[in-house]
Amino acid sequence: MELFQAKDHYILQQGERALWCSRRDGGLQLRPATDLLLAWNPICLGLVEGVIGKIQLHSDLPWWLILIRQKALVGKLPGDHEVCKVTKIAVLSLSEMEPQDLELELCKKHHFGINKPEKIIPSPDDSKFLLKTFTHIKSNVSAPNKKKVKESKEKEKLERRLLEELLKMFMDSESFYYSLTYDLTNSVQRQSAGERDGRPLWQKVDDRFFWNKYMIQDLTEIGTPDVDFWIIPIIQGFVQIEELVVNYNESSDDEKSSPETPPQESTCVDDIHPRFLVALISRRSRHRAGMRYKRRGVDKNGNVANYVETEQLIHVHNHTLSFVQTRGSVPVFWSQVGYRYNPRPRLDRSEKETVAYFCAHFEEQLKIYKKQVIVNLVDQAGREKIIGDAYLKQVLLFNNSHLTYVSFDFHEHCRGMKFENVQTLTDAIYDIILDMKWCWVDEAGVICKQEGIFRVNCMDCLDRTNVVQAAISRVVMEQQLKKLGVMPPEQPLPVKCSRIYQIMWANNGDSISRQYAGTAALKGDFTRTGERKLAGVMKDGVNSANRYYLNRFKDAYRQAVIDLMQGIPVTEDLYSIFTKEKEHEALHKENQRSHQELISQVLQNYMKLLLPDDEKFHGGWALIDCDPSLIDATHRDVDVLLLLSNSAYYVAYYDDEVDKVNQYQRLSLEDLEKIEIGPEPTLFGKPKFSCMRLHYRYKEASGYFHTLRAVMRNPEEDGKGRAVNLTKTSLVSDLKTKALWPREKIF
C-alpha cells in the first residue's frame, strides 16, 4: 500500500480504500481513495505492508504511527496461508515536524525512473547561518526559559532512547509475526471449535496473544466492516515452517553437514519417500509481558511472566495434527533483585496471601485447556529450592483432580552435560503423553482432540524448559507419524529429519530467550544437535554475562516500551534513570573491568554441566591471545578462555559481538611440553606486556604453541597501582602443581 504525506495528514491507500491519520491529534479516519484529491499537496513517500498501530512514548510528546516497512515470508501453513515476519518498521511522528528518511520502497506509479528519494542537503553557508542563529538565541534565553529548554531536551532525549528500544524490539529480535488469512493466535483445536464463526479474523483472535491490540484500538473502536481490511493481528513469539522427508537411505556426507545451517537440499524432492510439513508456532502472552528481572511470578490478575503457548503442527496430505504446550513463570509472588550477577530468588508474599492469585491463574488455565500436567524443572536443592517448595505447597492447597504435578531436577539428572538424560523424564510420563492425545483434523472435521496440556517451567522458563518441551514434542511427533503411516513402527526419526527438527526447537528457544532475557538460549547447542559440547558451554557463559549486562543497563527502557505498547502506565521513574546516564556508564565500565570475575562465576555455575565424570575442574581464566599473526596485540577485549582440569586444558576463542565460540581445543596435559614466560611477541615497537607460551605436541609432532597474556588492569581502576603479573597468578602454579603435570619445564 502507498503512504502519502500531506500538510495535516499521513494517508495510507490501497485500491479504493484509504486511511487518514491526523498529524495534529493522531486521529484515524476511513475515507474513500478519491478523497486524496482533497488533501493539501500529497507526496508519495513509498510503499508499506500494513499498520501495526500507534504509541505515545510520553504524555507530553506526540503519538507515533508504526507501520510495517518490510516483511519476510516465513512459509505457508495448510490451506496455503502465508505467514510473514516483520523485519523492518517505519515510525512516523504524528506532529507537524517533517519525517526523517524512512527508506521505504518506492512505488513505480509515483516514482517512475527514480531509484532513491531525493534528500535536501543545506549548503555549508546555510548550516553556518543556522548554527550562528541558534547560538545567538541560546545566549539570550532567560533563566526560566533555560529551565524549560533543559526539560524539553530531557524529554526529547528520553523519547529518542525509548524510540531506539522500540525499533530494536521489532527489527533486531525479529520476533513479530502475522498472517492476513490465518489466525496465528489460536491453535488448530480452538480454530476447529469456531470454524463456523463468520466474524472477521481480528475479532476471533485469542486476546492473550493479540500483541498490538492496544496500539490498534482506535481502529477496532470504529465498528464498521470497512475497518477490517486495516487491522492486522500481530503476535510476538516464533514461527518456523519446514517440509521434511522420511528417508532412511541418506548419505553420510549429508549427515556431516553443519547443524547450524542445514543444506537446502534437505527438503528432498524425491516422490518415493513420504514427506510431511512441520510448523512450530510460539505465542507470547501480552499479559504481564516484559523482561526477566522486571517481570517474575504472578500478578493480581492471575497472569504470569513469560507465558508462552507453543504449538507443534504436522500436516500430511489432508491431515493436520497439532500438539500444544505452555510455559510460564512459577505462579507465586517472587522476584530477583537484578543488580548483581545471578541474584538470589526471594518470596514477596506469604503462602496465605498467594493462594487467591495462584487459584485465579490455574482456574483460567483449566477453563481453557481442561487438564494441566505441571512439569517443574527447578533445582530441588540450593537457591532455587525456595521457589520449588512454594509451588508444591500451592498445588497441594489448590487440590484439584485436573492438576497433575511432576518434579524433575534438571541439573541433578543431567549432571556432566548429559542432557540426553531428559529421556528419563519422557519415559516416566510416557503414558501421560499418550493419554493426553493430540488434535487431529481432516477435511471432514475433527477426528480427535488434545485432552489437557503440559505446563513446563524452570526459573526463567527458557533454557531447561525448551529442552524438555522439545523432548516431549518429539515423542508426540513420532507417535503421530507412525499413526499416519509415514514412519515405520519400530524406526526412530531419520537423521536428517531429526537434525532439522532440533534446529527448529533451538531457534524457538533462542527467540523466546531474546524476548525475555535479551540473549540467545543457554543449552541451545543440545537442542540444536542433540549433544552438549564445550563450545556450547562457553557460549552459555558469554550469554549469561550478557543477560547480566542487559538487565543492569537496558531493561528499564525495554520494559517501559513493552508497557506502553500494552497501554500500561510506566511506574518506574525513567527520568531518574535517564539523568543517571553517567552513573550507568561508570557501572558499564565496572562491568567491563570485572568481566574476568563474571566469567569465573559463570564457570562455577556451569562446572557440573561442563566436566565429564572422570575430570576434576581446577580453574578458568579470561585471557588475550597475543600471537601477532592471529590478532592485534593491542586488542583489549577478553577473547580467550583457558580452562584447566586434572588431565587436560581447554583453549576456547569467542566473539563478544556475536556471542559465539568460534573454535576451541582440548589438549591433554601429557602433550604439554613446556611453559615459557617472557615479553609478548610484537611485529613493531617495544613489548608492553608479559605473556605465557604453552608448547604442546599434536599427533606426536612438536612445534605447536599458544601465546596468551592476562587482561591488563588500569592502575587507577585496580586501586592497587599495578597490572597483572602473569608469573604471580594462580594460573601457572595451577598448571605446575594441581594438574600433576609430569614434565615441568618453565623458562
Side-chain angles (χ1 to χ4, degrees), residues 115-374:
N115 294 324
K116 292 183 179 179
E118 297 180 2
K119 294 182 180 179
I120 301 173
I121 303 174
S123 67
D125 291 339
D126 290 340
S127 299
K128 289 178 182 178
F129 173 76
L130 291 172
L131 182 60
K132 184 177 179 181
T133 304
F134 177 74
T135 306
H136 176 73
I137 293 171
K138 185 178 177 182
S139 64
N140 287 281
V141 173
S142 61
N145 285 338
K146 282 184 178 180
K147 184 178 180 181
K148 289 182 180 179
V149 169
K150 183 180 179 182
E151 290 176 354
S152 178
K153 283 184 177 180
E154 285 182 350
K155 288 179 184 177
E156 290 175 2
K157 287 172 68 177
L158 179 59
E159 184 181 43
R160 188 163 57 248
R161 184 70 182 84
L162 294 173
L163 195 59
E164 286 173 1
E165 285 299 323
L166 177 68
L167 291 168
K168 287 177 183 177
M169 274 191 66
F170 277 94
M171 303 205 300
D172 288 357
S173 65
E174 294 190 347
S175 59
F176 292 92
Y177 299 81
Y178 70 94
S179 174
L180 299 178
T181 58
Y182 187 87
D183 184 2
L184 288 175
T185 69
N186 274 307
S187 65
V188 169
Q189 184 158 314
R190 292 198 297 271
Q191 289 186 51
S192 63
E195 60 185 354
R196 295 185 181 182
D197 189 339
R199 292 179 298 166
L201 179 66
W202 69 270
Q203 292 184 9
K204 296 187 289 186
V205 297
D206 190 320
D207 181 76
R208 296 175 296 168
F209 309 118
F210 188 176
W211 251 77
N212 59 327
K213 179 181 178 179
Y214 175 77
M215 292 186 285
I216 208 79
Q217 187 173 339
D218 283 4
L219 283 178
T220 59
E221 290 177 350
I222 291 177
T224 63
D226 293 342
V227 80
D228 299 339
F229 172 81
W230 300 100
I231 300 175
I232 302 175
I234 291 176
I235 66 166
Q236 186 186 38
F238 175 77
V239 181
Q240 186 169 346
I241 304 168
E242 300 286 347
E243 187 179 53
L244 305 186
V245 178
V246 180
N247 180 5
Y248 291 96
N249 301 315
E250 295 163 321
S251 67
S252 58
D253 290 340
D254 286 340
E255 292 177 14
K256 294 177 182 178
S257 61
S258 170
E260 292 285 341
T261 54
Q264 195 66 30
E265 63 267 22
S266 62
T267 303
C268 183
V269 295
D270 190 350
D271 291 334
I272 297 174
H273 303 292
R275 67 180 66 193
F276 63 96
L277 180 142
V278 58
L280 206 56
I281 304 172
S282 282
R283 314 168 176 104
R284 185 175 170 84
S285 175
R286 66 185 185 88
H287 302 304
R288 196 154 176 74
M291 305 305 293
R292 181 167 70 149
Y293 289 114
K294 298 294 181 182
R295 293 291 182 269
R296 290 289 207 189
V298 72
D299 67 12
K300 294 180 179 180
N301 297 314
N303 300 309
V304 295
N306 200 25
Y307 183 89
V308 182
E309 180 187 83
T310 300
E311 179 180 22
Q312 180 175 281
L313 189 150
I314 305 293
H315 184 73
V316 183
H317 303 303
N318 296 321
H319 296 265
T320 301
L321 298 85
S322 159
F323 185 74
V324 172
Q325 298 181 79
T326 63
R327 68 179 75 187
S329 190
V330 174
V332 299
F333 290 96
W334 66 282
S335 61
Q336 285 176 284
V337 179
Y339 291 93
R340 53 171 292 184
Y341 184 74
N342 195 17
R344 185 176 295 276
R346 68 184 186 192
L347 294 174
D348 297 328
R349 294 199 186 185
S350 69
E351 180 181 299
K352 186 176 180 180
E353 291 174 309
T354 302
V355 170
Y357 307 104
F358 182 93
C359 292
H361 173 71
F362 274 107
E363 283 169 0
E364 185 197 27
Q365 294 299 297
L366 294 175
K367 183 179 179 181
I368 297 170
Y369 301 108
K370 310 307 179 189
K371 295 179 182 178
Q372 293 259 306
V373 178
I374 296 170

Side-chain angles (χ1 to χ4, degrees), residues 372-478:
Q372 293 259 306
V373 178
I374 296 170
V375 181
N376 184 16
L377 305 175
V378 302
D379 295 349
Q380 295 175 22
R383 63 173 58 204
E384 295 183 4
K385 186 176 186 298
I386 186 174
I387 304 300
D389 289 350
Y391 199 177
L392 178 57
K393 287 178 182 177
Q394 291 294 329
V395 170
L396 294 173
L397 290 171
F398 189 58
N399 192 25
N400 191 302
S401 60
H402 296 298
L403 200 64
T404 303
Y405 182 87
V406 177
S407 181
F408 181 79
D409 190 329
F410 186 96
H411 287 148
E412 179 63 30
H413 285 87
C414 301
R415 180 182 294 273
M417 302 199 310
K418 295 178 180 178
F419 286 7
E420 64 273 14
N421 289 349
V422 168
Q423 187 174 345
T424 305
L425 171 63
T426 55
D427 289 346
I429 62 174
Y430 185 76
D431 290 339
I432 298 176
I433 296 173
L434 295 185
D435 290 342
M436 190 175 288
K437 305 176 186 175
W438 51 79
C439 177
W440 184 352
V441 299
D442 63 7
E443 291 178 327
V446 179
I447 296 174
C448 72
K449 294 182 179 181
Q450 182 176 338
E451 298 176 0
I453 60 161
F454 287 100
R455 185 200 190 279
V456 186
N457 74 275
C458 51
M459 291 297 284
D460 298 331
C461 304
L462 295 176
D463 314 318
R464 291 171 275 182
T465 296
N466 202 65
V467 171
V468 169
Q469 285 194 335
I472 293 172
S473 290
R474 179 169 180 147
V475 172
V476 173
M477 184 175 73
E478 290 184 351

Side-chain angles (χ1 to χ4, degrees), residues 619-655:
W621 297 266
L623 303 173
I624 298 292
D625 188 323
C626 54
D627 187 337
S629 65
L630 298 178
I631 193 166
D632 179 2
T634 63
H635 186 65
R636 289 179 176 271
D637 291 337
V638 178
D639 67 338
V640 173
L641 294 168
L642 179 64
L643 311 174
L644 177 65
S645 75
N646 62 321
S647 58
Y649 74 92
Y650 301 79
V651 178
Y653 296 82
Y654 71 87
D655 186 335

Side-chain angles (χ1 to χ4, degrees), residues 664-711:
Y664 74 94
Q665 288 179 274
R666 180 190 184 277
L667 297 159
S668 171
L669 292 176
E670 293 291 328
D671 293 326
L672 186 60
E673 295 183 313
K674 64 180 178 179
I675 303 174
E676 293 178 324
I677 301 291
E680 95 177 303
T682 58
L683 298 176
F684 305 99
K686 186 178 179 181
K688 296 180 180 179
F689 311 112
S690 294
C691 70
M692 172 179 67
R693 181 168 284 177
L694 305 176
H695 292 260
Y696 64 93
R697 294 193 308 272
Y698 178 69
K699 294 183 178 179
E700 301 302 323
S702 299
Y704 297 91
F705 57 83
H706 293 289
T707 306
L708 309 171
R709 69 167 173 81
V711 181

